[in-house]
Amino acid sequence: MRMFKVTACVPSQSRIRTQRELQNTYFTKLVPYDNWFTEQQRIMKMGGKIIKVQLATGKPGMNTGIS
């Protein structure tokens, strides 16, 4: 199964006291090739930005080397 390793930045929904105090959350996750389009839509709807996409091989839940 082909997997993508996606790194994205999303604005955090918690801890927003004022408009100027927006926190960004960076995360890296493995996404199956079949679910790539829905994951991309989810990140964009949250107002996030996809930073890096790499083709990764392996199974879901396998350690990608980034903790």
Side-chain angles (χ1 to χ4, degrees):
M1 174 187 278
R2 283 193 289 177
M3 303 284 283
F4 288 123
K5 185 165 67 168
V6 180
T7 304
C9 174
V10 216
S12 176
Q13 298 300 325
S14 61
R15 292 183 169 187
I16 299 177
R17 294 185 201 127
T18 63
Q19 293 291 341
R20 291 182 294 181
E21 204 174 315
L22 192 64
Q23 299 279 328
N24 287 330
T25 304
Y26 290 86
F27 64 89
T28 300
K29 66 188 286 188
L30 281 176
V31 180
Y33 179 76
D34 299 334
N35 298 343
W36 164 243
F37 185 71
T38 54
E39 183 66 25
Q40 182 183 14
Q41 293 296 318
R42 185 184 71 82
I43 292 170
M44 295 306 218
K45 280 183 183 177
M46 290 172 61
K49 186 176 189 179
I50 298 172
I51 296 171
K52 183 168 66 170
V53 178
Q54 290 179 314
L55 186 63
T57 57
K59 299 176 183 172
M62 184 181 241
N63 185 13
T64 59
I66 298 175
S67 51

